[in-house]
Amino acid sequence: MDMVTPVLARDLATLGRVSEETSSESVLRGLTATLAGGVPGCAGGSAELWGEERMVVSASHSELIVLIDSEEDLGEGPSAEARVTGRHVIVQDALREPRWPAYAAMAIRYGVRSVLTLPITVERAVLVLGLYGVRPGVFAAGNVPPLADMLAEQVNVALANMWDYDEVRTDAAQMQEALAGRAVIDQAKGIIMKSSGCSAEAAFDELRRVSQHHQVKVADLARLLVEEHQRNRGATSR
């Protein structure tokens, strides 16, 4: 049976939409739910995002989190094999799986009979996807390449969109912080100019000299000066 369905294609496409709430965790949660609901024979999905170590893990069912955590503890199993080799791995029937008997026993304990793991190289990491069936033989090797191609394309789009959006948000936050710092520096310069009768340039030079002497940022020093000035004004007005 073809594993690429119209429902799967539609739901995967929605993963590329980003918002304020979008994160690696939310993308992977959506992906695992999409696998479980859109791939024929697939009853559950998992996703592990790996850099030098595992950064994020998600699954459609809590039992699958326990299963893949147990696999990591064992140091062997289909997910580990896929990550190391860069190739997909199929367990046709956990009851008859000779490669990883300890893993197979654990999979059976959680009602898993079939497993398909797919490694996908993304811009900054490797994503290992797991598909799980409650019946044996639900993942045919001949149907894996089209599914792997679609998942690789859509996952890369979704994560790239999320990372780009994060960069935009970070840039915006940094710009806002810089503008706020510039505003408080201007306030501090005004305080110095008023108290000493110096120019704006001289006031900034004084701020910079004191900041270097005390090894603090100019913006932090300016903020302290403004806060102290406001406290003094509040004290004299009472």
Side-chain angles (χ1 to χ4, degrees):
M1 183 183 296
D2 190 357
M3 288 190 280
V4 176
T5 65
V7 170
L8 178 65
R10 180 201 65 202
D11 291 347
L12 284 175
T14 66
L15 294 176
R17 300 171 187 167
V18 296
S19 67
E20 288 288 341
E21 291 74 32
T22 303
S23 64
S24 297
E25 291 83 353
S26 68
V27 170
L28 296 189
R29 278 198 306 271
L31 179 57
T32 59
T34 296
L35 293 175
V39 177
C42 180
S46 68
E48 301 172 81
L49 191 61
W50 286 84
E52 293 183 1
E53 57 185 22
R54 194 173 73 179
M55 300 180 289
V56 184
V57 60
S58 184
S60 58
H61 299 76
S62 58
E63 295 86 351
L64 296 178
I65 292 282
V66 178
L67 179 59
I68 57 181
D69 280 346
S70 300
E71 180 181 353
E72 187 179 358
D73 292 338
L74 290 170
E76 61 179 21
S79 294
E81 182 80 6
R83 182 163 54 89
V84 170
T85 64
R87 297 190 296 270
H88 74 265
V89 178
I90 298 178
V91 174
Q92 292 290 359
D93 189 352
L95 277 175
R96 296 174 174 80
E97 176 52 61
R99 292 170 290 183
W100 313 290
Y103 170 84
M106 200 160 300
I108 293 166
R109 186 184 311 163
Y110 291 110
V112 172
R113 292 288 297 274
S114 302
V115 183
L116 167 62
T117 54
L118 295 164
I120 296 175
T121 301
V122 295
E123 180 183 352
R124 310 178 188 187
V126 173
L127 181 66
V128 180
L129 300 179
L131 289 77
Y132 305 87
V134 296
R135 294 180 291 106
V138 297
F139 304 121
N143 293 332
V144 171
L147 175 66
D149 289 344
M150 172 178 278
L151 287 171
E153 179 180 357
Q154 296 297 338
V155 166
N156 270 284
V157 168
L159 290 176
N161 287 351
M162 183 205 69
W163 284 324
D164 288 346
Y165 189 61
D166 276 348
E167 288 179 2
V168 170
R169 283 190 293 194
T170 300
D171 290 345
Q174 289 174 343
M175 182 176 295
Q176 188 172 6
E177 183 179 354
L179 290 173
R182 186 177 303 170
V184 79
I185 289 171
D186 287 342
Q187 284 182 273
K189 283 163 55 180
I191 294 168
I192 295 171
M193 291 164 63
K194 185 175 180 180
S195 64
S196 64
C198 67
S199 66
E201 184 178 353
F204 183 74
D205 287 342
E206 178 64 10
L207 272 175
R208 186 166 52 189
R209 182 189 67 79
V210 175
S211 74
Q212 290 173 347
H213 177 74
H214 291 283
Q215 296 184 337
V216 296
K217 294 179 180 178
V218 171
D220 292 339
L221 176 63
R223 191 171 293 108
L224 290 172
L225 178 59
V226 169
E227 289 172 355
E228 182 181 1
H229 180 70
Q230 290 172 342
R231 283 195 300 270
N232 291 339
R233 288 182 59 186
T236 56
S237 64
R238 287 197 294 268

